[in-house]
Amino acid sequence: MRRETDFSLLKYNTFGIDVRCRDFFEYESVDELADFVASGALEGRRWMQIGGGSNLLFLSDFDGVVLHSKIDGIEIVPADKPNEFFVTAGSGVVWDDFVAFCVDHHLGGVENLSLIPGEVGASPVQNIGAYGVEAKDVIYEVQAMDVTQGKMCRFSNAECQFAYRDSYFKHHTNYIVTRVTVLLHSEEGYQYNVSYGNLLKAIPEEMAFSLSLIRKTIIGVRNSKLPDPKEIGSAGSFFKNPIVERSLYEALSKDYPEMPFYEVPDGMVKIPAGWLIDQCGWKGKQLEHAGVYEKQALVLVNRGGATGQEVWNLAEQIVASVQKKFSITISPEVCVIR
Ligand code: EPU
C-alpha cells in the first residue's frame, strides 16, 4: 500500500502532463481498498480511479484523491466446454502482459488487443478495442467494489452494458473494478479474427496463422502508426470515430467518394475521425506544445512540456474545423479531467 499527499501524476498519465493530486492511494488487494473506503477517506471528497493513465487528459491539478490498483495475479480455470477457459486477472495487471500471458498459454480471444496501453481494470470501463475485437467480445464477468457501500459486486457481460468505447461503469462512477474474467478458446480449432482493414495484408502469405503470429503482426502495425508513449506523450486515439446517419454519409460520399466507412448496426455508418481530421489538413501540425501525430491524425501528442489546456485548445480547433467541413461533431475518446 502506498499513500502520498500533493503527489505528481507525471508518471501516471501517458500524455506526460505535469499535474499534481491532493492525495494518492495505491492498493495491492481488495482488502486494502475496502479498509481505505471504510476509513471514510473518500467521504465528501472528489476522487477518481486511474489505470495506466493512457486515456486521460488532465486540464489542471486534481483537488481530490487519486486511487490506483496494484491488484495482481492471473488465473486460468476450465470453463464448461473442453476447449474453453476462464482467465481472471487483477485490475492492476498491465493489459499487454495479460495478452502476452494468454497468447503464451495458447488461449485465443485477446490477441487482436495486443499492445493496447493501460491496465486490466480499465478494459471493461472503456470497452477497449482494436482490429475488429472489443473487450465486450471476451469479457465474461467483472468484479467491482461499490465504494458508496464498500460492497463487492459481480457484473455479467450483459450487465456491463457495453457499447463502442462505453460501458455501465462510465456512467456509474461509484464502482472500482478489481478483477476481470474473460472467456477464451484454446488455440486448436480456434477461428482467428483477421478480417479488419489491412490486417490480413500485414501477415506474410507463407506463414500459417497462430496466436503468436497475429500478436506479432499487430504489434508491428501499431508500432508503425502509433507513438510509443515512453518516447512521445499521447493517449492513443484522442477522438472516437463518429457514428452518423446514413443520409449524411451518402450526401458526403458524393463529394468525397474515397471516404472510408464501416457499417454499424441500426443502419448507421461509422467514419474514421483520423480521415476527417487528416482531410482538414491537421496531420503534423503543432499549436504551442501540442501537436497532431504525423503518422495518424487521430492521435494528439505532447511535443514536450505541453499543458493539458494546450492539448485541449488544439482539440477544440480540430473539432471546429471537422464540424465546418463535414457537419460532423467529433467527440473525445480520452477522459478529460477538469
Ligand atoms: N486515416 C487517414 N488519415 C489518418 C488516419 C487514418 O486517412 O491520419 C484513415 C485510414 O487510412 C483508414 C481509416 O482512416 O482508412 C481508419 O484508420 P485506422 O485503421 O488507423 O484506425 P482508426 O479508426 O483511426 C481505430 C481505433 C484504434 C485502433 C484502430 C485499429 C478508435 C477511436 N480508434 O482507429 O484504437 O487501434 O482502430 O483497430 O476507435 C485507441 O482507442 O486509442 C486506439 C488506438
Side-chain angles (χ1 to χ4, degrees), residues 131 164-165 225 237 239 241 275 278 283 296-298 333:
Y131 305 102
Y164 173 54
R165 298 294 191 274
K225 279 199 203 170
S237 300
F239 298 100
N241 288 332
W275 184 86
D278 198 357
K283 206 185 243 178
Q296 162 61 288
L298 191 54
E333 198 236 31

Side-chain angles (χ1 to χ4, degrees), residues 244 248 252 256 259 271 275-280 320-329:
V244 304
L248 175 59
L252 285 171
Y256 303 96
M259 181 166 73
I271 302 181
W275 184 86
L276 297 168
I277 298 166
D278 198 357
Q279 291 294 307
C280 292
S321 70
V322 169
Q323 176 71 44
K324 192 162 171 232
K325 192 172 168 86
F326 296 102
S327 306
I328 294 177
T329 310

